[in-house]
Amino acid sequence: MTPQTSPTSQTSPSSPTSSSPQSAAGPRGRVARAVTTRPRLLLLLILLLTAGAVVVGGGVAERMSSGGSQIPGSESSYATAELERRWPASQPNLLLLVSPRDGTRDVDNPAVASAARDLASQLAHESTVLGVVSYWQTEDTALRARDGGEALITARIKGDEDAVDDALEALEPRYRGAHGAVDVRLGGPAAVRHASQEVIADDLVRAEVIALPVTLVLLVVVFGSAVAAALPLLVGIVSVLGTNAVLRVITEFTDVSVYAQNLTTALGLGLAIDYALFLVRRHREELAAGRDPRDAVAVTLRTAGRTVLYSALTVAVCLASMLVFEQYFLRSLAYAGIAVVLISAAASLVALPAALVLLGHRVNALRLPVGRRGGNPGAGWARLARLVMRRAPLFAVGTVAVLLALGLPFKDVRFGTADDRQLPSSTEARVVQEELRNEFPGSPGSALAVLVEGRPAAKALAEYSGELSRLADVVQVAGPAGRFVDGKRVDDAPPAVGYVSVLHSAESASPQSVSLVKKIRSVPASFETSVTGPAAVLADTQHGTAERLPWALAVIAVTTLILVFLLTGSVLLPLLTVVVNGLSLTAMFGAVVWVFQDGHLSGALGFTPTGDIETALPVLMFCVAFGLSMDYGVFLVSRIKEEYELGGDHRDAVVLGIRRTGGLITAAALILAVVMVAIGTSRVTNIKMLGLGVGLAVLMDAMVVRALLVPAVLRLTGRATWWAPAPLRRLQRRVGLEEEARTTYPDIPTRTERPVSGRT
């Protein structure tokens, strides 16, 4: 077949059988020949690779971490590293909440005190624990509940996150529960992190159990054939298994966030199914047009395959933008995202076509009494497109106004960090932290630590400590100069240390505590100080994320502009794509604030609002949702361009492009939304926010932006949509991957039979 090289060409499309599509030159031609000539060998190789991925990827969840929010090189990161190196007990990560078993609510009872001292002594002899401090040892009122009914034993489990998790698993059964006259519950950062990992792992299994059967049902409805419906699902499973293996390998070299596996499942199933859905649909169209199965696969690869390739590159670049951030939470999600996108595309462009060659016309086997049967496919989408284009200014302005209104709540966003309230309310680690917040004058787990360097004089250090103790929300300051409350020394100095502990009453990671960090850092001192602790980490994370965010946005914008230009040869269309995709995310960000920050629907959705949003999460959601929006944008724009190059009429091309892809994009969005909502059933609030937020963005993009805003905007821009200077046009033809085949389909009239736009 001869590709159409000019939008004004009116050459009639050649017959589907006029030439052999497998004979085309170029990378896609070579892929098509490999797939169509050796399909059994390819499938056997892929089966072996998948089996290997199952082995390699087994247990990947146990290798992941739930931290990663700290900015390397920041003040808090430096102070944390120094304190852990020189005074590892300064930041306790394990808290034992001790209460009398007899219900007396008196921790000073001799029997209770004796049992608690024995427990603290036993804990101090554990090889994995150091820095054990208890209320019964120090009589520090900060370690006792206000009503005297509970008190704390604090400790530090040694090692990195993996070592801490392993040690905690061994310690839990020995220390939780009854010990003579006392009951013990475990809390602290280590227990919260460990509980989060367990809950996320359990929820991921449930999400997969929900998503897979519902997805299969939707695919059957779309295709009306059990065989055709099973293919995208199988590609999605291969993608997820392959990415798990890649993540397992990555964990050998760097830390990977536990959130990465949720992202892998969502994107692996969603994108692989999207790509496979697009390819199978095009393949069945080619079969219906009279091609034999091998030629149909070859044409599908060189047309729809081109679109899938561009889509995968665009989504991968959007996710790769997270590599500009320093915290490994976002960087590891970039690793996972890039891997799952590329594996999804590879499985769709190699494994799926090989299966289609072997199946031949049997891809339509096992017809079921569901799905579209007969009729005129896409007629409803064509009518909608014509309506929108007739009233283009109204639909363009109205849609933009609605989207901006839905995003208005985001102007009041407040950034924080995740804490124990992410967990289900019955989780023991959360119950302990709630007790600390409500019943204790200050929580050791949320205390700030000020690293002191430079050998300050005792008087200068005492003045500095007293000044810190006068700050609002500070309960007490303890360090080398003694313990201070409201500027007065209440205890002599403990054994020499090089840090000052600041116990405060503010939430551990809130605007109030961040403000306190800034005040502490502004207190003048004649020696060097560095502040760390949960609130200090949050303050530095907010600053570091804000510094790098423009770079991430620039990476996304520039690469999107380049890729869409190479796809379309248009100068205007890439700019429109970036703006429209950005607008498609407004509802997601507005909902995130209205629901998860402000707490609307918290009862129905089963979470505890904290009044803020974790700092890094909107960045992750933007990169994922923008990439998925580009996925659907590429599907639609590539088909409109194909129609335009065939007929040269802009409005007809828009109508036919929407007619061809409207149902497909909607089906793909529904399937991806099902996967994201299944992820959103998680009992961990941030995972719930990620799943439900991105699911909403996907639906808004497919059903509002692509159906209403895009055709309205393209009607207003007219033929200028496709303009480019001659040098850029030549560059695009040399570098871009041009469409190499075009087919007429018997079920939809061509332009010679009926003008699509209704004009004569």
Side-chain angles (χ1 to χ4, degrees), residues 339-619:
V340 74
V341 171
L342 297 182
I343 292 174
S344 297
S348 300
L349 294 173
V350 178
L352 178 62
L356 291 173
V357 169
L358 292 179
L359 284 171
H361 289 279
R362 288 171 294 180
V363 70
N364 297 317
L366 298 181
R367 286 279 185 180
L368 301 174
V370 294
R372 179 178 294 277
R373 306 298 291 267
N376 194 349
W381 289 103
R383 286 194 295 271
L384 177 62
R386 292 191 199 97
L387 171 64
V388 171
M389 295 177 78
R390 282 198 300 269
R391 301 286 186 270
L394 176 63
F395 277 98
V397 173
T399 305
V400 169
V402 170
L403 291 173
L404 291 177
L406 291 174
L408 279 178
F410 193 70
K411 66 181 177 59
D412 297 320
V413 66
R414 294 184 296 276
F415 293 109
T417 192
D419 60 20
D420 57 280
R421 288 169 292 182
Q422 293 279 314
L423 295 169
S425 58
S426 60
T427 306
E428 181 178 279
R430 173 175 172 175
V431 172
V432 170
Q433 298 302 120
E434 293 278 10
E435 289 286 322
L436 296 179
R437 267 192 297 272
N438 298 331
E439 304 299 334
F440 284 71
S443 170
S446 64
L448 295 168
V450 183
L451 176 66
V452 175
E453 298 177 290
R455 299 182 179 277
K459 181 179 179 182
L461 190 55
E463 290 175 352
Y464 176 75
S465 299
E467 190 67 26
L468 293 184
S469 70
R470 294 188 184 95
L471 296 176
D473 300 318
V474 172
V475 175
Q476 70 172 33
V477 175
R483 190 154 58 94
F484 292 79
V485 176
D486 292 331
K488 298 178 181 178
R489 191 198 307 266
V490 295
D491 275 332
D492 291 335
V497 293
Y499 65 92
V500 173
S501 178
V502 181
L503 203 63
H504 60 89
S505 59
E507 293 285 351
S508 62
S510 64
Q512 191 178 4
S513 61
V514 169
S515 176
L516 177 59
V517 170
K518 294 176 181 177
K519 292 176 183 176
I520 292 174
R521 287 175 172 171
S522 66
V523 172
S526 59
F527 43 87
E528 295 181 12
T529 62
S530 304
V531 183
T532 188
V537 170
L538 173 59
D540 291 340
T541 299
Q542 290 177 342
H543 176 72
T545 301
E547 252 189 352
R548 297 296 182 105
L549 184 60
W551 290 101
L553 296 177
V555 168
I556 291 175
V558 171
T559 53
T560 297
L561 293 174
I562 292 172
L563 287 170
V564 176
F565 168 73
L566 292 177
L567 175 70
T568 64
S570 163
V571 171
L572 180 60
L573 200 53
L575 297 171
L576 292 176
T577 300
V578 171
V579 173
V580 166
N581 282 6
L583 284 171
S584 72
L585 308 185
T586 54
M588 175 184 74
F589 285 121
V592 160
V593 171
W594 191 77
V595 175
F596 290 95
Q597 175 182 291
D598 299 341
H600 299 98
L601 304 180
S602 59
L605 295 177
F607 69 92
T608 301
T610 59
D612 54 51
I613 302 297
E614 179 159 4
T615 304
L617 200 59
V619 175

Side-chain angles (χ1 to χ4, degrees), residues 56-72:
V56 174
V60 64
E62 299 172 3
R63 303 275 305 176
M64 294 183 173
S65 306
S66 61
S69 61
Q70 205 158 354
I71 302 286

Side-chain angles (χ1 to χ4, degrees), residues 31 37 74 78 93 131 166 171 211 268 333 341 353 390 438 466 472 483 507 564 756:
V31 171
T37 56
S74 64
Y78 168 76
N93 58 8
D166 292 341
L171 294 171
L333 292 170
V341 171
R390 282 198 300 269
N438 298 331
R483 190 154 58 94
E507 293 285 351
V564 176
V756 174

Side-chain angles (χ1 to χ4, degrees), residues 176-365:
R176 175 184 288 123
H179 291 267
V182 298
D183 274 322
V184 178
R185 290 174 289 174
L186 273 59
V192 171
R193 183 176 62 248
H194 186 66
S196 297
Q197 290 173 319
E198 289 186 334
V199 173
I200 288 172
D202 291 343
D203 290 347
L204 182 60
V205 173
R206 187 180 67 251
E208 292 170 345
V209 170
I210 293 172
L212 289 176
V214 176
T215 296
L216 181 58
V217 170
L218 288 174
L219 287 169
V220 170
V221 171
V222 171
F223 287 121
S225 161
V227 173
L231 291 174
L233 194 60
L234 291 174
V235 172
I237 292 172
V238 169
S239 175
V240 172
L241 294 176
T243 307
N244 281 342
V246 172
L247 290 179
R248 177 62 180 81
V249 173
I250 292 174
T251 60
E252 295 292 332
F253 303 97
T254 186
D255 294 313
V256 177
S257 171
V258 69
Y259 284 65
Q261 201 171 21
N262 293 85
L263 187 66
T264 294
T265 297
L267 291 183
L269 286 176
L271 286 177
I273 289 172
D274 278 2
Y275 297 156
L277 184 68
F278 194 60
L279 292 166
V280 171
R281 180 71 166 268
R282 185 60 180 256
H283 176 70
R284 295 175 81 192
E285 288 180 347
E286 298 296 338
L287 290 178
R291 294 192 184 275
D292 68 55
R294 290 179 185 273
D295 282 355
V297 166
V299 172
T300 297
L301 281 174
R302 296 202 317 272
T303 53
R306 169 182 182 266
T307 302
V308 167
L309 179 60
Y310 268 102
S311 173
L313 289 174
T314 307
V315 177
V317 166
C318 290
L319 296 174
S321 66
M322 290 186 286
L323 291 174
V324 307
F325 296 98
E326 296 178 279
Q327 54 267 57
Y328 83 73
F329 167 74
L330 289 174
R331 294 177 70 87
S332 65
L333 292 170
Y335 304 144
I338 295 169
V340 74
V341 171
L342 297 182
I343 292 174
S344 297
S348 300
L349 294 173
V350 178
L352 178 62
L356 291 173
V357 169
L358 292 179
L359 284 171
H361 289 279
R362 288 171 294 180
V363 70
N364 297 317

Side-chain angles (χ1 to χ4, degrees), residues 2 82 108 135 141 171 336 412 552 559:
T2 302
E82 284 298 300
D108 294 313
Y135 160 72
T141 55
L171 294 171
D412 297 320
T559 53

